[in-house]
């Protein structure tokens, strides 16, 4: 990560939301908003022009051809998503921000490469810490996203991976972590509850994110196929 | 039949010139003897009824039954009316427009100039004038054919071999032309290239085919090939007719389709408008009125948001009586409404409500009320319906409290949560972490016939370490 404040791009089609987020994050001196964008084209251009550390990405964006618009931004910025982009610069991380309750929209942006998902009702400090966490390469799960994950992997119905790295199911530990997040626990509280370190919690969450992006589980692939992500 | 309207005059002009207004040609039900044709004709032509009747009889006797044919034809084509029409009926009072095309062919009268209140065609001005032009041509052709035939009877030598194809070609042209209303024609004219050429090609091709077919029938050659020729002729005529009619059918179908989708869109739009009006607009009005009360505004906004979400994302609040997830959402919504505190709900899995899960929902409600009352936002509710039962968690961020220190008279926690769950062979545990808030855990394990499971009544059961590989005997 580059020294100095964390560089952030806000992508949302509502000017009110953009200014609201900007105001809420202004209390954190470690975050600098370098650009704003209101649609898919602007977002792709702004991200390539400014190379921010984190992009706060609205799931539903006007413009573009793929629905939801947020996943198209991710697809067209795919060259910057890799751990080490081809041009040698730092990689750009995306955090999805949405009011949507529709699981398929959220899953679509996660599968397209977003590192996390938070709802627009999130408080300012929570949003700031989520941005920092994503910038450090961790995944950010809201309780709602954790609920989606538990549902999508059939964990609620008792399906648990026998092997740790099985892609289509969550392991026992991952399930516990997801359940605690769904219950409203912060990572620190999850760590305390399970007697593990926060770092381990982050590892589990990142593993779940990877499964979410790579799994060929029917429910996930159906969502992805509907949105032509595969 | 007396052709009155001069075909040279532009039809639109003729339609607007009330030179001599005639009452519309209809068949009145009053004063009729048989079909009302003679009465209507007399009123329309302005001659005496007796004259018309005598004329019809004479035509029948002298014209080889032509009078009866004419009568039947008019009877079939002319619309009926309650009373004998007057001149006043001829001018449509609504538009001041003369609805009656005065021309030679009565066939056109059946269409655009139905009696007031009758089954009127849509009042497209250009169509009327065009249909009229076509009708005039058609009428002229029929008249020409009739005169020729009559002439032939009286000894004039008419070259049938020449006459019939000409008549057919003209008739086909009129048909093809009258199929397209002005809008369609101008649309085709505007378009350049393939589409226009294709259209012209289609019409011309159709006409040629019609002509060829008719000629084949008329020019009867040698007998051996006759049957084959007739067959070819019939096929050709049918093909030609199909080609000529295709644009008309296509247009009809397209119009229908457009209309149908427009209706669906309209219904959707009305549905959305109705919903927005009933909910969002009302709430916005309420919010403006109670702008001085932030708590009230927040409550209203939150309730409206929830309502809109349910509607947008297809949640079915009416399921609240039968399904767990919907019941949980309803209960938490009630709490939000009553206390104005946001409750975030995550539900994993779903199942039918039964007596015991309904108890769990009731206890959940108490736990929520407790949380919002003593801790405030954010309150998180997590409900998971698994193969072994239902678990629910209510988490708040309040200062926390010692459950054992709660006075015995405080019914809230002790009775309505813990006692209620235990009576139904479930359990409730309350964990309070000072500074970290409180979490109430509700557990309602499914009851199984086999008795080798631990007593579900004991609190703090259902450890995640319970072997998940165990097959549910269901």
């Amino acid at each position: 990560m580059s020294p100095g404040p964390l560089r952030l791009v806000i992508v949302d089609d509502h000017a009110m939301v953009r200014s609201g987020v900007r105001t809420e994050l202004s209390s954190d001196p470690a975050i600098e908003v370098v650009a704003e964008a209101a649609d898919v084209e602007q977002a792709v251009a702004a991200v390539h022009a400014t190379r921010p550390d984190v992009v706060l990405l609205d799931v539903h964006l006007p413009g573009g051809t793929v629905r939801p618009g947020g996943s198209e931004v991710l697809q067209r910025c795919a060259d910057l998503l890799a751990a080490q982009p081809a041009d040698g610069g730092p990689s750009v991380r995306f955090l999805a921000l949405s009011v949507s309750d529709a699981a398929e929209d959220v899953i679509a942006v996660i599968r397209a490469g977003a590192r996390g998902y938070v709802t627009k009702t999130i408080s300012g400090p929570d949003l700031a810490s989520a941005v920092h966490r994503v910038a450090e390469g961790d995944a950010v799960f809201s309780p709602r996203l954790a609920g989606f994950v538990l549902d999508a992997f059939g964990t609620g119905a008792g399906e648990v991976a026998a092997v740790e790295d099985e892609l289509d199911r969550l392991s026992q530990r991952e399930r516990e972590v997801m359940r605690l997040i769904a219950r409203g626990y912060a990572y620190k509280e999850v760590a305390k509850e399970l007697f593990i370190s926060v770092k381990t919690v982050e590892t589990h969450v990142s593993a779940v994110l990877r499964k979410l992006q790579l799994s060929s589980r029917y429910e996930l692939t159906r969502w992805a196929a509907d949105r032509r992500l595969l | 039949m007396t052709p009155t309207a001069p075909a040279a005059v532009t039809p639109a002009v003729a339609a607007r010139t009330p030179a001599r207004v005639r009452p519309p040609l209809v068949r009145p039900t009053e004063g009729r003897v048989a079909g009302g044709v003679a009465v209507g004709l007399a009123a329309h032509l302005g001659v005496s009824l007796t004259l018309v009747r005598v004329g019809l009889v004479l035509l029948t006797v002298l014209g080889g039954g032509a009078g009866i044919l004419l009568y039947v034809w008019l009877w079939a084509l002319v619309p009926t009316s309650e009373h004998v029409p007057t001149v006043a009926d001829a001018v449509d009072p609504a538009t001041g427009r003369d609805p009656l095309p005065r021309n030679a062919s009565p066939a056109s009268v059946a269409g655009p100039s139905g009696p007031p209140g009758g089954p009127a065609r849509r009042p497209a001005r250009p169509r009327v004038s065009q249909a009229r032009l076509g009708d005039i041509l058609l009428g002229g052709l029929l008249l020409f054919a009739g005169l020729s035939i009559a002439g032939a009877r009286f000894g004039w030598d008419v070259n049938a071999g020449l006459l019939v194809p000409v008549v057919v070609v003209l008739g086909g042209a009129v048909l093809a032309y009258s199929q397209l209303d002005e809008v369609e024609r101008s649309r085709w004219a505007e378009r350049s290239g393939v589409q226009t050429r294709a259209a012209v090609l289609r019409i011309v091709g159709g006409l040629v085919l019609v002509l060829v077919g008719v000629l084949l029938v008329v020019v009867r050659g040698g007998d051996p090939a006759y049957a084959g020729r007739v067959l070819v002729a019939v096929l050709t005529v049918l093909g030609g007719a199909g080609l000529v009619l295709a644009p008309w059918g296509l247009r009809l179908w397209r119009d229908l389709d457009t209309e149908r989708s427009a209706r669906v869109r309209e219904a959707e739009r009305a549905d959305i408008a109705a919903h927005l009006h009933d909910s969002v607009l009302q709430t916005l009005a309420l919010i403006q009125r109670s702008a001085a009360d932030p708590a009230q505004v927040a409550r209203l906004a939150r309730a409206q948001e929830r309502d809109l979400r349910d509607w947008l994302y297809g949640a079915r609040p009416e399921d609240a009586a039968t399904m767990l997830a919907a019941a949980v959402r309803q209960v938490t919504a009630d709490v939000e409404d009553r206390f104005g505190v946001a409750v975030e709900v995550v539900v994993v899995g779903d199942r039918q409500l039964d007596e015991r899960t309904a108890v769990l929902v009731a206890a959940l409600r108490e736990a929520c009320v407790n949380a919002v009352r003593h801790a405030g936002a954010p309150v998180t509710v997590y409900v998971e319906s698994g193969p072994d039962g239902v678990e629910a968690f209510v988490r708040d961020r309040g200062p926390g409290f010692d459950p054992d220190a709660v006075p015995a008279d405080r019914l809230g926690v002790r009775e309505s949560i813990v006692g209620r769950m235990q009576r139904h062979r479930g359990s409730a545990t309350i964990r309070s972490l000072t500074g970290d808030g409180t979490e109430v855990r509700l557990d309602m394990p499914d009851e199984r016939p086999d008795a080798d499971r631990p007593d579900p009544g004991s609190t703090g059961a259902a450890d995640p370490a319970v072997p998940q590989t165990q097959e549910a005997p269901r």
Side-chain angles (χ1 to χ4, degrees), chain B residues 226-250:
Chain B
Y226 186 63
R229 277 192 190 175
V230 167
L231 185 69
V232 171
V234 168
L235 287 178
T236 322
V237 167
L238 284 179
L243 273 173
V244 169
L245 288 175
W248 178 79
L250 206 69

Side-chain angles (χ1 to χ4, degrees), chain A residues 164 171-178 194-196 204:
Chain A
E164 187 71 22
S171 72
Q172 183 65 39
R173 206 56 160 172
E174 288 160 358
R175 171 178 181 266
E176 285 168 22
V177 171
M178 282 298 121
L194 297 177
F195 304 106
I196 53 180
H204 285 307

Side-chain angles (χ1 to χ4, degrees), chain B residues 84-360:
Chain B
V84 180
T86 59
V87 174
D89 291 336
V91 180
D92 189 339
T95 59
R97 187 170 58 83
D98 175 8
L100 174 68
R102 296 171 305 279
N103 62 29
S105 167
S108 70
V109 178
S113 68
R121 240 196 306 185
R122 79 189 152 118
R125 268 83 31 207
R127 268 193 97 160
V128 173
S129 59
Q130 245 114 49
R132 206 155 191 227
L133 182 65
D135 289 335
I136 291 166
L137 283 173
L138 196 64
L141 282 169
L142 287 170
L143 190 71
F144 181 54
L147 283 175
S148 306
I149 292 164
R153 257 181 101 104
F154 290 113
W156 301 340
D157 188 19
V158 180
N159 189 353
L162 180 71
L163 181 68
V164 170
V166 168
V167 168
V168 165
V169 168
L170 285 177
V174 168
L175 269 178
Y177 186 78
S178 61
Q179 272 175 43
L180 314 168
D181 64 22
E182 188 155 290
V183 181
E184 194 78 3
R185 262 195 297 271
S186 60
R187 198 190 295 164
W188 281 12
E190 275 166 24
R191 282 187 199 150
S192 55
V194 183
Q195 202 134 12
T196 314
R197 249 182 279 136
V200 170
L201 209 68
R202 191 162 52 212
I203 291 170
V204 171
L207 291 175
V208 167
L209 281 175
V210 168
L211 180 64
V212 168
V214 172
L215 283 180
L216 277 174
V217 173
V218 169
V219 184
R220 290 166 217 177
D223 263 5
Y226 186 63
R229 277 192 190 175
V230 167
L231 185 69
V232 171
V234 168
L235 287 178
T236 322
V237 167
L238 284 179
L243 273 173
V244 169
L245 288 175
W248 178 79
L250 206 69
R251 193 188 67 215
L252 195 73
W253 185 80
R254 201 170 46 214
D255 283 357
L256 259 173
D257 199 49
T258 313
E259 195 190 318
R260 195 171 47 224
S261 58
R263 240 194 340 262
V264 168
R265 262 200 311 276
E266 179 55 28
E268 265 174 14
R269 202 201 59 78
D271 194 28
I272 292 171
H275 186 270
L276 291 184
H277 180 266
D278 290 350
S279 60
V280 179
L281 288 182
Q282 306 276 13
T283 309
L284 286 175
L286 279 175
I287 283 177
Q288 285 170 41
R289 220 182 303 155
S290 47
D293 182 356
Q296 172 77 350
V297 168
R299 199 180 61 75
L300 284 168
R302 177 74 184 169
Q304 185 55 61
E305 180 197 342
R306 202 177 49 234
D307 180 64
L308 208 52
R309 273 178 195 285
D310 282 353
W311 192 68
L312 285 176
Y313 301 118
R316 292 155 51 87
E318 63 268 25
D319 281 348
T322 54
M323 297 302 288
L324 174 70
V328 167
R329 289 201 185 92
Q330 190 191 46
V331 158
T332 51
D334 284 351
V335 174
E336 277 190 349
D337 282 351
R338 260 182 65 198
F339 296 92
V341 173
V343 179
E344 178 158 16
V345 185
V346 176
V347 183
V348 170
D350 201 1
R351 58 165 66 193
Q352 291 276 330
L353 270 187
D354 58 18
E355 191 201 345
R356 294 177 70 235
T357 41
V359 166
L360 178 129

Side-chain angles (χ1 to χ4, degrees), chain A residues 99 179 183-185 189 193, chain B residues 309 384 386 397 431 439:
Chain A
V99 289
R179 268 167 57 101
R183 280 156 64 179
Y185 282 60
E189 294 166 330
E193 182 74 17
Chain B
R309 273 178 195 285
E384 184 179 304
R397 300 278 168 174
R431 286 198 331 170
E439 186 174 58

Side-chain angles (χ1 to χ4, degrees), chain B residues 49-75:
Chain B
L49 177 59
T50 319
L51 198 65
V52 173
R53 285 191 172 142
V54 168
L56 280 172
V57 169
L58 280 178
L59 260 180
T60 309
V61 175
L62 300 180
I68 286 181
L69 264 180
L70 179 64
Y71 192 94
V72 168
W73 189 41
L74 288 175
W75 177 77

